[in-house]
Amino acid sequence: MRKANQSDNKNTRKKRKNPFLRWFWTLFAIGIAGVLLLFLSASLGLLGEMPDFKHLENPETNLATEIVTADGKSLGKFYLDENRTPIKFKDLPKHLVDALIATEDERFYEHSGIDLRGTLRAMVYMGGKGGASTISQQLAKQLFHKEKTRGLARYTQKIKEWVIATRLEKQYTKEEILAMYFNIYDFNNNADGIRSAAKIYFDKEPKNLKIEEGAMLVGMFKNSALYNPVKNKEGVTNRRNVVLAQMAKNNYITQEVKDSLQQLPLKIKYTPESHNDGMATYFREYLRSYMKAWIEQNPKPDGTKHNLYLDGLKVYTTIDSKMQQYAETALKAHLKQLQKAFDAENNPKKNKTYPFVKVSKEEYKSLIERAMKNSNRWIHLKYLGYSESEIRASFDQKTEMRVFTWKGERDTVMTPRDSILYYKAFLRSGMMSMEPQTGHIKAWVGGINYKHFQYDQVVQGARQTGSTFKPFVYATAIDQLHYSPCLELPDILTCIEADKYGNVQPWCPRNSTGKFTGKMMTLKYALANSVNSITVNLMDKVGPIPVINLVRKLGITSEMPEMPSIALGTADATVFQMVGAYGTFANEGVYVKPVLVTRIEDKNGTVLFENTPETHDVVNAEVARAVVNLMEGVTRYGSGARLRTKGADTYNAIYKNVMTGYPYQFTNPIAGKTGTTQNNSDGWFIGMVPNLVTGVWVGGEDRAVHFRTTAYGQGATMALPVWGYYMKKCYADKDLGISQAPFPAPQNLEIPIDCNKEKDEDTDEATDFDF
């Protein structure tokens, strides 16, 4: 009976348990079905829009257009909100990948998008021992669901991320997922993606990052706004050390290496990338307009237009990063010194119309009036509907502003009217360097600071050329009249009479010294010392129209009056045009239009454009060699001879104070020409060696801003030192291959270029002034 009763009791207990078990398994099954239904609903898009297969193949990320130098460096980017340039997995250093996996997803290579162990751990401990998101889930969120959600939407979004993560795992390899995650993340401070982050925070390519640098960047994945190395160095250092600890925990580095790296201070090289900062800012801005024009003329196969800011184009330019840096360094170093001399010579305490020189009160008022009406302030306030009296009043109200100085930006308070005068006082400059055989532009510096002086003096600022125009007159005479550099003409007052070549009155210009020697002198000596009388003599023989015709073939398109006075450089031209023109003579008479882009590719590397240089013959090789020979005299015993001297800085204050980089002591063949315009308003120097032509212009924004004395205001002082300092740096860098050889000459050269009398003239005292 006892056994029977025990058996009955067991059956009774089983019956009592069965309903609970049934309920448990029923609820469990319902839960599983519900989860599956949720995933199915998310997959079908019932919980909100989901990316389809096509979107997974081509996730819509905004890719910046990258500008690449001729030597393979990243020069800058064009972007709107996202400064992103993708990088392939093979270009990521192993330690960077290790750091990411150790910190963000230890079982990355073991799961298929969802880490079940991590998810269960997060549920049990309510997130107290780490989150459950895998790298694939985080990538899904970055790619398709960046917006923040709350409440129920937060859970549905998480489900969608899980679904997308599994799809990503099916569609891509693990390596591709890692690369996509590194490329998509916003590291703050315009650093979108790992390549931008490495450049902005360390000025490096990702492959060159050190372990501790990579650890810092991986640490930013937690929250780049909070762990910002520019603003929160202590927090970022701590976070970096957590990443290093995770790397050691997962055996990617040893404990000894971890301890050593954690002791290192946080060292960043903050290199912001914006349209106003960085290298070659003026070139990049001109390139932007070039690219916009190219996009208009080159639609995609489907007829739509490329997007400069979103399509991830790659623009390969002719700029050499090292030569660009040398050019910027040389120009800024010289202008900084020259500005001191200008301010000392035009002391505002003595000059009541500072910074303008030798102007009347009426002219002074007119200059300020024009500057006010051309200012952004005037244009903006007029657009907003303010009256003229209200606008004028605003120019006399003190305003907080941040201004440029040669010691860096500073905050100050001044009226907008005073700020106009403040900026007018700064000397401006433009410089371009080009390879004459290919037309490749190697360096382009449009001014002293793009943020504060956005007018590009290379391509926008056409100015009077002064004596740099004279070689065109000489070239015309050599070409048409078959003259030789050794031809002798008298240095006497030479007039072009009235009614000849459009003259209303006789034109009888004087030499810069105000005197005529009466001596016979060769064309070579006359050009070297800018003897006006000889240039006028040649203009009288050939006339202005043949000179203009030659100049047009040389690529100078600016307005050119058909008057004899153009012989002395009264017409305007840009640095861009003048360098291209001079390059023709260095290239044996063949003009090559300056080139700034060699190739354009889309984001997949497909070539969309390859440059074909525009060339045409201008003069034959003999004439070109003769003109080069003329200009070699300028640097031998003319206004450019200071490129070869030494010791003048011991007794001449000009050499000591403003001949930046002196002595240069060049011994190789150099052809060139200085130029100075009336009142010292413009200073030029264009110098050539066989494989490089470089032009420099210096002056004020207004012609009324200039040196009082020619000693400081001539091209040999204002512009030549930039060329000398730049070339000194280029020659020191042997990898650049800048030629020191003689200029090439055609075989059987028939034009005499070796003048017997030249030896005697070498000993004559040069004027060292140039007009």
Side-chain angles (χ1 to χ4, degrees), residues 467 469-485 487 489 521-539 542 547 550 567-568 585 623 626-627 630-631 673:
S467 290
F469 191 90
K470 289 178 180 177
F472 306 144
V473 180
Y474 281 71
T476 305
I478 293 171
D479 186 38
Q480 295 202 352
L481 304 177
H482 309 292
Y483 283 173
S484 158
L487 174 72
L489 293 174
M521 57 180 62
T522 63
L523 297 188
K524 188 171 184 179
Y525 181 80
L527 182 67
N529 292 284
S530 277
V531 181
N532 288 343
S533 64
I534 305 300
T535 307
V536 175
N537 190 319
L538 296 177
M539 175 58 82
V542 299
V547 175
L550 175 71
L568 302 185
F585 301 119
V623 173
V627 175
L630 283 168
M631 290 191 282
K673 189 70 189 80

Side-chain angles (χ1 to χ4, degrees), residues 552-567:
R552 294 294 181 231
K553 292 179 183 178
L554 293 170
I556 297 176
T557 58
S558 51
E559 186 177 347
M560 199 77 54
E562 295 179 2
M563 301 291 291
S565 58
I566 62 171

